């Protein structure tokens, strides 16, 4: 795979990624105090969180998510077109990124911008990514799961190591302007999760508005909404016959793909890498 590398992170060569943009985002992009940024490692529930936030932003009214593609509602910082949109977005801005902490805008450290970091069982991340990569034209075919898993465990995929990403962001966990939530918590109780997110954002929604967020951010609503299901993503970059953004939307699908031996190998690398991490997760 032809790739660009910036501070240890490789991204495939595509016209919307460049070293210059990454450097600008890290060093010059100014986060504003009323910005809200969704941060994830890929396939951790990014689009789900974006839908939830977009609906909260509009007090539960679904017309925005039904009429504008997700990447225009919530621009991606690290891609050239997304950055252009972010720079002309009227505040308060909703932004998103997969960037690891060491490349995230340095201006965060002196701002009150809020970050919502969503993470997911890395075995499900692996399987979701495996299927998604089949559609990505700028990536090589992911081959067999076992080889892809080794690339994942060694941090050889776009955005680097899941372990480094999570641990890098966790350094910030005691700051009041960062909120950690898992895909599994969203699955277990979406309504309560929406209430917690609203509380973090200082946004007061009534019961009916929260119900509308929950209903419109459901897997089936998103899957049927062409503004949210990725079907408008250009064919130049993605073969929609081979990959899907809204694939299964469940927790634990890894059990259908990893053998016992592969799962044990994963656990061993997980334990080596996560030793000393004080947070516990639903999959621990
Ligand atoms: P699967 O491939 O396991 O189905 P990201 O947005 O970070 O790329 O993550 C995509 C994953 O989130 C996909 O997982 C997708 O199905 C899942 N997802 C997206 N919206 C969802 C929703 N409303 N409910 C449950 N899962 C959702």
């Amino acid at each position: 795979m032809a790739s660009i590398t910036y501070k240890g992170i490789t991204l495939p060569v595509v016209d919307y990624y460049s070293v210059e943009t990454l450097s600008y985002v890290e060093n010059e992009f100014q986060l504003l105090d009323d910005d809200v940024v969704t941060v994830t490692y890929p396939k951790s529930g990014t689009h789900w969180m974006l839908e939830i936030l977009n609906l909260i932003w509009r007090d539960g009214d679904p017309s925005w998510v039904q009429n504008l593609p997700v990447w225009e509602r919530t621009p991606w910082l690290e891609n050239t077109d997304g950055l252009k949109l972010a720079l002309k977005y009227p505040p308060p801005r909703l932004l998103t990124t997969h960037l690891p902490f060491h490349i995230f805008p340095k201006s965060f450290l002196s701002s009150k911008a809020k970050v919502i970091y969503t993470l997911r069982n890395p075995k499900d991340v692996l399987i979701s990514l495996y299927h998604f990569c089949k559609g990505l034209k700028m990536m090589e075919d992911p081959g067999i799961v076992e080889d892809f898993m080794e690339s994942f465990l060694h941090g050889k995929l776009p955005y680097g190591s899941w372990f480094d990403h999570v641990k890098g962001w966790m350094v910030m966990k005691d700051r009041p302007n960062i909120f950690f939530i898992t895909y599994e918590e969203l699955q277990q109780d979406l309504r309560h999760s929406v209430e917690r997110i609203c509380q973090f954002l200082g946004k007061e929604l009534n019961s009916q508005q929260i119900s509308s967020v929950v209903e419109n951010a459901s897997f089936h609503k998103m899957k049927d909404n062409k503004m949210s299901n990725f079907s408008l993503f250009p064919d130049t970059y993605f073969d929609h016959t081979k990959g899907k953004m809204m694939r299964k939307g469940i927790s634990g699908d890894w059990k259908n793909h990893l053998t016992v031996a592969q799962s044990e190998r994963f656990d061993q690398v997980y334990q080596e890498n996560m030793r000393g991490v004080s947070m516990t997760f639903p999959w621990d």
Side-chain angles (χ1 to χ4, degrees):
M1 172 182 88
S3 57
I4 57 165
T5 301
Y6 182 77
K7 300 207 167 169
I9 296 303
T10 58
L11 293 174
V13 170
V14 207
D15 49 13
Y16 54 76
Y17 290 136
S18 75
V19 167
E20 291 72 29
T21 301
L22 292 173
S23 170
Y24 177 86
V25 170
E26 181 198 354
N27 298 300
E28 290 172 60
F29 185 81
Q30 289 305 310
L31 281 169
L32 308 174
D33 285 346
D34 53 6
D35 284 342
V36 175
V37 193
T38 289
V39 183
T40 50
Y41 186 85
K43 313 320 289 177
S44 301
T46 325
H47 290 79
W48 196 3
M49 183 52 72
L50 297 183
E51 204 80 344
I52 292 168
L53 289 175
N54 289 166
L55 288 159
I56 290 176
W57 220 238
R58 296 293 164 106
D59 300 328
D61 177 356
S63 51
W64 197 32
V65 302
Q66 289 165 352
N67 287 295
L68 203 67
V70 58
W71 49 83
E72 289 184 34
R73 286 180 251 139
T74 318
W76 288 81
L77 281 181
E78 67 269 36
N79 98 34
T80 316
D81 293 343
L83 179 60
K84 277 188 207 145
L85 276 178
L87 289 169
K88 57 179 192 201
Y89 197 109
R93 301 181 297 188
L94 272 179
L95 306 168
T96 190
T97 184
H98 288 317
L99 286 176
F101 182 66
H102 72 282
I103 308 179
F104 193 69
K106 285 198 176 13
S107 57
F108 178 59
L109 296 173
S110 55
S111 89
K112 295 192 179 100
K114 292 190 165 105
V115 164
I116 298 187
Y117 188 90
T118 309
L119 65 168
R120 182 183 191 186
N121 184 338
K123 288 181 181 168
D124 281 330
V125 170
L126 162 73
I127 297 305
S128 180
L129 190 56
Y130 175 74
H131 289 284
F132 190 69
C133 283
K134 291 184 182 176
L136 280 174
K137 291 188 176 169
M138 68 290 258
M139 299 270 295
E140 279 166 17
D141 182 274
I144 58 168
V145 172
E146 182 147 21
D147 293 344
F148 192 77
M149 181 177 99
E150 286 308 313
S151 299
F152 181 90
L153 293 176
H154 287 99
K156 296 243 165 72
L157 296 173
Y159 294 99
S161 153
W162 180 91
F163 305 106
D164 291 347
H165 204 283
V166 169
K167 288 189 291 185
W169 275 101
M170 237 173 243
V171 170
M172 293 285 109
K173 76 175 178 7
D174 295 327
R175 287 193 162 227
N177 55 339
I178 182 160
F179 180 78
F180 284 82
I181 189 160
T182 61
Y183 179 97
E184 290 73 16
E185 286 168 291
L186 298 177
Q187 283 276 9
Q188 269 159 23
D189 192 341
L190 184 53
R191 189 178 185 93
H192 182 55
S193 301
V194 170
E195 287 165 351
R196 287 172 59 211
I197 295 165
C198 285
Q199 201 176 1
F200 172 67
L201 297 177
K203 191 96 176 118
E204 281 183 28
L205 262 54
N206 65 33
S207 174
Q208 217 180 343
Q209 291 166 333
I210 290 183
S211 299
S212 176
V213 175
V214 171
E215 186 195 331
N216 288 290
S218 72
F219 183 79
H220 295 290
K221 280 272 177 170
M222 285 180 64
K223 195 177 165 77
D224 291 343
N225 178 2
K226 68 177 190 309
M227 298 297 163
S228 307
N229 65 11
F230 212 67
S231 59
L232 296 179
F233 195 68
D235 293 344
T236 337
Y237 304 123
F238 198 77
D239 183 341
H240 293 276
T241 64
K242 292 191 178 162
K244 292 264 172 295
M245 166 66 71
M246 303 299 296
R247 195 183 59 95
K248 285 196 177 171
I250 57 169
S251 294
D253 189 40
W254 65 267
K255 292 179 193 145
N256 298 317
H257 292 86
L258 299 186
T259 64
V260 172
Q262 286 164 350
S263 169
E264 284 173 0
R265 153 105 182 113
F266 196 112
D267 291 341
Q268 184 204 339
V269 177
Y270 181 91
Q271 272 146 26
E272 281 162 16
N273 276 278
M274 299 300 275
R275 200 172 290 136
V277 169
S278 56
M279 231 181 224
T280 49
F281 303 109
W283 54 87
D284 279 332

